[in-house]
Amino acid sequence: MRVPLLYTEKDSFLHRRDPRIKLLLFAVVIVFLYTAPNWQWMLAASVLGLALSIAARVPPLVLLVLWLLQLPNFIGLVAIPLGQDLLAGNFSPFDGDLDFGLKLGLAWSAALFLSLALLSTMSPDKITDGMRGLKIPEPLCFLVGYSFLLMYASMSDIFRTIDAMKLKGIELTIRRPIESIGNMAKLFVPAVIIMARRAGTMMSTLQLRGFSFTHRPATTLGAVGAADIALLVAGVGALAVAALMRFAPAMLGL
Amino acid sequence: MITAQSLELTYPETEQPSLAGVDLQLNAGEVLGVVGPMGAGKTTLCMSLAGLVPRTTGGEFGGDLEVVDLDPRQAPVPDVAQRIGLVFEDYASQLTQITVLSEVMAPMLNHDVPVKQAEAEARRLLSELGLARLDLEHKRTWELSGGQQQRVAIAAALAADPQVLILDNITGLLDPDGKEEIRSLVSQLSQRMTLVVVEQDIDLLVGVADQLLMLRDGQVSALGPADQLLRDLTALDDAQVEPPVVVQVAQAAGLPDNPLTVEELTSVVQSPDVMESAAPDVPQPAVLGPEVSAPVPEIDAPEPEVDIPGPWIRAPEPEVDIPGPWIRAPESDDRPKAVEIDHVSFAYPDGTMAVQDVALRVAPGEVHAIVGGNGAGKSTLLRMLCGLVRPSSGTVRMDGKNTRECSPAELARTVGTALQNPDEQITERTVREEIGDALRRRRTRRTGWFKREVVISDEQIAEAVDRAVELVGIPTDLMDRDPTHLSRGHRKLVAIAGALVLDPAVLILDEPRVSLDAPARAALRRLLHELRDRGTAVVIVEHDLDLVAETADTVTLLDLGRVVASGSPHAVFGANGAEALAKTSLRPPRAAQVAAAFGVDAITVAELATQLYPVKQEV
Ligand SMILES: Nc1ncnc2c1ncn2[C@@H]1O[C@H](COP(=O)(O)OP(=O)(O)OP(=O)(O)O)[C@@H](O)[C@H]1O
Ligand SMILES: [Mg+2]
C-alpha cells in the first residue's frame, strides 16, 4: 500500500504555472460555484474541469474513484426530486423544477474536477509558498503546510502499523472482508499511540530546524510569466461573464 | 562551549531521576563521546543539552547548564535552534518534509539562505552522505530504507550549520561504509563545531573522541580523556560497554598492555624480545605470501607496512574450501527447507527495483545472515519472507507454505518477525501484555456463528511469555512497565520476545543489534546459539559484521537488490571474499580488518587471538 498524495508528481502545462496564480484561480472556482447562473454552466465547468484534470495528468482511476464517491450526492440531489416529480406529477421540491437539484449535483463534479486540476499540480511546499506569496499571514501558511505533512506521516505510520498488526495475527486482507472490517477497529489505539509518540520527536525536530509560526522562510517562487497571467485572465473573465448573466438581469430590472 | 554542573532531570511521574549530578566541561572544537548501557540517560542528556528536555517532555530540572553562552532549557527556541543541532536515534520521526531534497533545504530556507544556494548546499550534503544515487527531488522521505532515512536526518541537521552538534546514537543503522563516513565527518566537523557523540559502536570513537563520558543509571560512572578510558577495562566493564576490537584482541591474546589502535598493537607485538624469542618454526615465506600483499583494508591507524608480520605469526590456515560459483549449490539431502525462495524480484510502486532475482535456502537450525549496504533491499526481502509483501515474480516458501497462498496473519503462526523499527510493533500497555500479544490474539477460535472456544489458556500464555523473556534476556523488573517508555534497545528486545512467543519454525530479525548494550548483545548471541540447537531457522539482517561472523552459519551478501556472494562467513568475509565485498559498501568485520593488518585470515576476535597464540606464550 502506498500513501496517496493529492499531488501528482508529473510535468504538465498546469504543473508549470505559478502557485500564486493557481491559488487565485482556486478562489475564482469557489466564487464561481456560488455565482454560476444555471446547470448548463455547471455542466460546462465540470467538463472543463475534467479536461484540465486529464491535462494535469491525474490518473484516470483516481478521477473515477473520486467521482464515484460523490455520486450519492448527485443521485440524492437529482434522482430523488426527479423521481418525486415523476411520481407526483407536478409535485416540486425545488421551486417547481429540477434545475436547482441538477445545478447543485453538477456543482459537486465541477468543484471536484476543477480543484483537483489546480491542487494536484502543486506540492504542499508550493501551496504554502504560494500562500506566502499572496501575503497570507504566516501562522496560517505554516499550519496548512504542517497539516499536510502530519497527514502524510500519519498515513505512512498507519500503513506500517497495519503491517505489524498482521504479523501479530490480525486478519486484514481483502480476501476476508468481513473479518478484516471488524479488525480495523483494533488499529485505532495503536495508531493513536504511534502518532502521539511521533508528534513529540517531530515537534522537537521542527524547533531545532528553525521552523516557527512567525518566521517566514525564504521563498522558492519565481517570476509570474505571460502564460500565468493569461490563465488568470481567462478564469476571472469566465467568472465575470457568469456573474453578469446571473445578476445583470436582476440589476437591470428585467 | 558546554558547561554543566550537577545537571539533574526527573521525568514526570517517575521517582528516579534520569540524570543526576552530571558535570561536564567541553571546549570549542572538542568531541565528547558518550557511552553507557540501555536506559542510562544518554538520550536524556542529549535532549537536555539541546533544551528539549524539559521543554517538550515536562519534568523537573536542576543544576547549571550553559551551551554556547545560553541556558538552552530557558532561552528562546529560535536562539537555541541557531546554535545547537541534534540528530535523534529515532530516524523515522525526524523527517518532516515530503521529499528528500526539501527535507535538507528546509532548515536553510528557515534561516533565510537564498533558494539557489540552499539547493546547491543540500545536494552537496546529500551526496556527501552517500545519497546521490536517489532521485532527490521526488523520492519521498517515508519511502526510504532505514539507513537512508538516518542519512537524510544527518544531512538536515548539518544544513542548519550549528555550533554544537549532538549525535544520539546515529550510526546503528548505517552500513560499514556509512559508519566510516560518519567518523571522518565528525573529525572534519570538529574543526568548526563542538560535538557530542553518543555511540554504541565504541570503535567509532577511537581516534575521534577527545573526552569520554560513561553514564550509568543517570550518573557519571567515568569521565576523562578518551584515549585512556577507551582501554580501561574496569571502567568499560562498569559502564557495560564492550572494549574496542583491538583491546579485545590484545586481551584475548594475553598481551600485557592494552593497545588501542592497530598501530599500537603492531608495535606491541613487534617488540624486540617478542621477535627474538618467537617461534622459529614458522616459515616466513608463507606469511609473506600473495594474500599478505593484497591491499590492507583501511583502519583508523595509518596503513601498517605489509611486511610487518614477524615470524611469530602462524602461517595462514589452508584456504577455506568454497564451491566455485558464489551461490551455494543446493544441498542434496531431502530435508525440507524452512525458507525456500527462488528467482524472487520486487519493485515498489515508485519504480524502485528493491530485490532482483534472489534465491535463498535456509535449513532448520541454520542461522542465515543477510548483509548489504543501506538500501540494498534487505528489509524488503524480509518483508517478503513474512508475507507482508508479495514478490512481483518468483515464489517464497516459508516452512513449506507459499506466501501467495496464505495471509501474513496465518503465516505468522510459524514465522516470527521482529521488524527494523520496534515501534511499529509495540501496541500494548505493559511489557508482559506486549510480549504475549500474538498469543492472546489467537486465544479463541470461532466454532460457530456466535461461538468461540478458548484454545490457549492464560497459563499457557504466561508460560510462553516467561520462556521468551528468558531466552531474550529481558530484565524481569521491566515486565510491568509501559514498553513505550523503555529505551530503544529494550523496546527492540521486547519486539524480539514478542516474535518468539509463538515458538516459530522460522525467526526473522531485522537489525536486532541496533541500540543494544554489551549484556544485551551477549544475550542476543546466546539466543542465536540456542535457537540453532532447537532447530529454529533464523534469518537475520545485520550491519554489525563482527556479530554476523561470530554467529551466522551462512551469509548472503546483497548489493542493489542482487545476491553478489553467498557462503560461510569465512567465504564471504575472509580473504577470498574480499573482492566481492569491496564492490559493496561493506567492509570486512573489524576483527578481520585487524587480522588483515597482520596478514592473517581470521574473521573473529577469538580466531585472531588463537593465531596470535605464539605471542601469548612468549610474553
Ligand atoms: N515503501 C517504499 N517505497 C519505495 N521505495 C522503497 C520503499 N521502501 C524502500 N524503498 C527503496 O527500496 C530499496 C531497498 O530498501 P530496503 O529498505 O529493503 O533496504 P535495506 O537493505 O533494508 O537498507 P537499510 O540497511 O538502510 O535498512 C531502497 O532503495 C529504498 O529507497
Ligand atoms: Mg533495512
Side-chain angles (χ1 to χ4, degrees):
Chain A
M1 242 187 311
R2 193 170 193 216
V3 174
L5 291 190
L6 178 56
Y7 173 55
T8 43
E9 286 173 72
K10 303 253 170 70
D11 187 38
S12 75
F13 173 76
L14 279 173
H15 279 81
R16 287 188 294 269
R17 300 287 62 80
D18 191 282
R20 284 165 290 192
I21 301 295
K22 286 189 269 194
L23 286 173
L24 286 176
L25 280 174
F26 184 59
V28 166
V29 167
I30 292 174
V31 178
F32 171 83
L33 291 176
Y34 289 100
T35 43
N38 51 36
W39 66 267
Q40 287 89 343
W41 273 84
M42 281 299 182
L43 183 64
S46 309
V47 172
L48 178 71
L50 182 62
L52 285 177
S53 302
I54 292 170
R57 306 180 62 187
V58 180
L61 192 65
V62 172
L63 284 176
L64 184 67
V65 168
L66 289 177
W67 189 75
L68 286 178
L69 281 179
Q70 56 86 51
L71 203 58
N73 284 316
F74 185 83
I75 292 173
L77 289 165
V78 179
I80 294 172
L82 184 69
Q84 283 169 336
D85 259 3
L86 292 179
L87 282 178
N90 55 0
F91 174 68
S92 45
F94 294 127
D95 254 358
D97 63 349
L98 251 179
D99 231 36
F100 187 75
L102 205 53
K103 195 172 130 191
L104 211 58
L106 284 169
W108 280 88
S109 302
L112 172 73
F113 290 138
L114 284 170
S115 33
L116 214 53
L118 292 170
L119 297 182
S120 76
T121 56
M122 287 186 280
S123 67
D125 289 349
K126 286 278 182 230
I127 293 178
T128 45
D129 261 353
M131 291 174 67
R132 291 187 174 112
L134 294 173
K135 305 271 180 292
I136 291 170
E138 180 57 24
L140 201 61
C141 303
F142 181 83
L143 265 184
V144 167
Y146 189 67
S147 351
F148 268 111
L149 294 168
L150 212 57
M151 183 173 76
Y152 293 140
S154 330
M155 267 197 274
S156 78
D157 277 348
I158 289 175
F159 287 173
R160 284 165 188 270
T161 319
I162 291 180
D163 277 354
M165 293 287 99
K166 289 180 188 166
L167 295 182
K168 283 189 167 179
I170 299 183
E171 284 292 350
L172 290 162
T173 51
I174 304 175
R175 264 192 290 161
R176 298 195 180 176
I178 296 177
E179 206 176 336
S180 299
I181 289 172
N183 283 338
M184 281 306 238
K186 296 186 187 153
L187 276 177
F188 184 71
V189 174
V192 168
I193 296 174
I194 285 178
M195 278 189 261
R197 188 159 49 208
R198 169 189 277 274
T201 316
M202 188 134 157
M203 252 353 258
S204 305
T205 307
L206 287 174
Q207 285 182 4
L208 284 180
R209 301 235 182 110
F211 288 90
S212 81
F213 273 103
T214 47
H215 182 77
R216 253 167 208 273
T219 172
T220 59
L221 295 175
V224 175
D228 296 322
I229 304 277
L231 196 65
L232 184 62
V233 168
V236 174
L239 176 66
V241 174
L244 265 181
M245 290 203 40
R246 166 100 184 255
F247 299 114
M251 286 200 296
L252 296 178
L254 293 175
Chain B
M1 199 40 100
I2 301 181
T3 327
Q5 243 158 23
S6 35
L7 201 60
E8 207 143 310
L9 190 109
T10 312
Y11 283 115
E13 290 167 44
T14 47
E15 278 150 36
Q16 277 280 24
S18 293
L19 278 183
V22 175
D23 294 325
L24 265 184
Q25 168 72 46
L26 201 64
N27 298 324
E30 276 191 320
V31 178
L32 173 73
V34 182
V35 296
M38 303 184 286
K42 293 169 302 209
T43 295
T44 306
L45 177 67
C46 292
M47 305 244 311
S48 312
L49 293 181
L52 297 171
V53 167
R55 204 198 309 265
T56 57
T57 58
E60 299 259 319
F61 67 94
D64 295 327
L65 179 65
E66 199 182 287
V67 182
V68 206
D69 309 323
L70 46 82
D71 183 346
R73 299 172 298 183
Q74 283 155 319
V77 178
D79 293 348
V80 176
Q82 290 242 320
R83 293 170 170 78
I84 305 174
L86 171 61
V87 186
F88 290 95
E89 185 174 9
D90 180 3
Y91 52 92
S93 317
Q94 53 185 326
L95 298 177
T96 59
Q97 303 288 305
I98 291 180
T99 64
V100 172
L101 190 64
S102 59
E103 183 74 48
V104 182
M105 280 174 71
M108 291 186 270
L109 296 180
N110 289 340
H111 290 129
D112 299 316
V113 176
V115 178
K116 283 254 158 52
Q117 194 183 328
E119 180 172 341
E121 177 65 8
R123 286 186 187 278
R124 190 189 67 74
L125 282 168
L126 284 164
S127 72
E128 194 170 326
L129 283 152
L131 293 172
R133 203 168 49 81
L134 295 177
D135 179 358
L136 302 177
E137 263 160 273
H138 300 293
K139 190 81 190 176
R140 300 181 194 168
T141 50
W142 60 86
E143 291 184 351
L144 295 170
S145 79
Q148 289 169 336
Q149 291 189 331
Q150 190 62 277
R151 287 166 190 251
V152 173
I154 297 167
L158 288 178
D161 198 23
Q163 283 165 276
V164 170
L165 182 62
I166 303 165
L167 307 177
D168 183 6
N169 215 359
I170 59 162
T171 66
L173 281 178
L174 299 187
D175 56 37
D177 265 1
K179 288 189 181 176
E180 289 308 318
E181 279 155 29
I182 295 300
R183 180 212 294 279
S184 53
L185 191 70
V186 168
S187 329
Q188 196 187 321
L189 289 175
S190 66
Q191 286 163 18
R192 55 192 170 90
M193 47 180 98
T194 309
L195 289 112
V196 176
V197 184
V198 176
E199 248 321 317
Q200 216 89 51
D201 183 355
I202 195 153
D203 277 289
L204 275 189
L205 294 173
V206 175
V208 170
D210 301 299
Q211 286 191 57
L212 192 69
L213 169 67
M214 298 186 178
L215 273 182
R216 186 151 184 198
D217 298 330
Q219 293 177 343
V220 177
S221 80
L223 172 67
D227 242 20
Q228 287 167 22
L229 278 182
L230 281 171
R231 62 183 101 207
D232 184 339
L233 290 172
T234 0
L236 289 169
D237 192 45
D238 223 32
Q240 300 190 350
V241 186
E242 282 187 332
V245 65
V246 173
V247 177
Q248 285 182 37
V249 170
Q251 207 194 358
L255 295 182
D257 330 306
N258 280 331
L260 187 56
T261 61
V262 174
E263 204 185 12
E264 286 175 22
L265 181 64
T266 51
S267 69
V268 176
V269 292
Q270 234 194 344
S271 61
D273 52 337
V274 174
M275 293 286 267
E276 277 158 25
S277 53
D281 56 327
V282 179
Q284 192 148 0
V287 176
L288 293 172
E291 284 90 350
V292 178
S293 49
V296 178
E298 225 185 279
I299 313 186
D300 47 306
E303 274 198 33
E305 299 292 314
V306 172
D307 56 354
I308 274 176
W312 48 269
I313 293 182
R314 266 195 206 160
E317 301 231 312
E319 277 178 22
V320 191
D321 219 334
I322 321 148
W326 279 112
I327 314 288
R328 257 218 219 157
E331 282 172 27
S332 48
D333 66 330
D334 297 333
R335 270 196 307 165
K337 294 282 184 240
V339 178
E340 256 179 305
I341 75 178
D342 279 310
H343 304 297
V344 157
S345 301
F346 181 78
Y348 281 105
D350 70 350
T352 311
M353 272 305 283
V355 172
Q356 295 181 53
D357 199 22
V358 168
L360 197 77
R361 300 237 171 317
V362 186
E366 175 181 342
V367 177
H368 193 117
I370 297 172
V371 299
N374 291 133
K378 304 179 299 291
S379 297
T380 309
L381 186 58
L382 291 196
R383 282 181 173 264
M384 282 196 269
L385 295 187
C386 57
L388 287 178
V389 184
R390 301 236 158 85
S392 315
S393 63
T395 52
V396 177
R397 281 182 182 284
M398 303 295 292
D399 198 31
K401 291 195 205 69
N402 186 335
T403 58
R404 280 179 205 283
E405 285 155 14
C406 56
S407 69
E410 282 161 15
L411 196 65
R413 280 170 195 271
T414 48
V415 179
T417 310
L419 297 172
Q420 187 161 6
N421 188 349
D423 299 343
E424 290 165 13
Q425 272 172 298
I426 292 176
T427 55
E428 301 305 300
R429 306 314 301 154
T430 69
V431 170
R432 189 183 304 280
E433 282 170 23
E434 176 62 40
I435 295 174
D437 200 33
L439 270 180
R440 202 147 3 89
R441 304 235 184 237
R442 296 182 167 81
R443 224 168 66 84
T444 57
R445 191 177 56 196
R446 176 160 289 155
T447 51
W449 271 96
F450 296 102
K451 266 196 272 167
R452 292 184 150 268
E453 72 173 356
V454 175
V455 286
I456 308 172
S457 69
D458 288 343
E459 292 78 54
Q460 281 170 314
I461 296 181
E463 242 166 66
V465 170
D466 288 342
R467 201 188 48 216
V469 164
E470 199 192 312
L471 263 177
V472 177
I474 296 174
T476 40
D477 57 319
L478 296 183
M479 293 307 285
D480 294 313
R481 296 265 301 274
D482 181 344
T484 54
H485 292 160
L486 300 182
S487 78
R488 196 176 173 86
H490 281 133
R491 299 207 294 273
K492 192 97 201 182
L493 292 182
V494 169
I496 296 176
L500 272 172
V501 80
L502 286 171
D503 199 11
V506 186
L507 179 68
I508 299 177
L509 301 174
D510 198 349
E511 308 265 2
R513 155 84 170 90
V514 175
S515 326
L516 299 191
D517 55 15
R521 194 180 167 192
L524 179 64
R525 261 193 228 112
R526 274 199 306 278
L527 170 69
L528 291 177
H529 284 127
E530 184 131 340
L531 290 174
R532 177 186 291 133
D533 295 344
R534 301 166 131 227
T536 308
V538 181
V539 182
I540 170 175
V541 162
E542 184 53 70
H543 283 306
D544 181 349
L545 300 186
D546 287 274
L547 180 74
V548 170
E550 285 162 26
T551 52
D553 300 307
T554 321
V555 178
T556 292
L557 175 59
L558 278 191
D559 191 39
L560 299 178
R562 290 180 184 281
V563 176
V564 292
S566 176
S568 70
H570 258 285
V572 178
F573 297 140
N576 296 305
E579 205 181 318
L581 202 61
K583 291 204 191 96
T584 68
S585 40
L586 300 192
R587 295 165 186 224
R590 291 240 164 74
Q593 295 183 28
V594 176
F598 297 100
V600 172
D601 192 8
I603 59 170
T604 65
V605 168
E607 255 177 46
L608 177 56
T610 57
Q611 305 219 29
L612 294 179
Y613 187 64
V615 180
K616 186 175 175 181
Q617 279 200 324
E618 297 312 322
V619 172

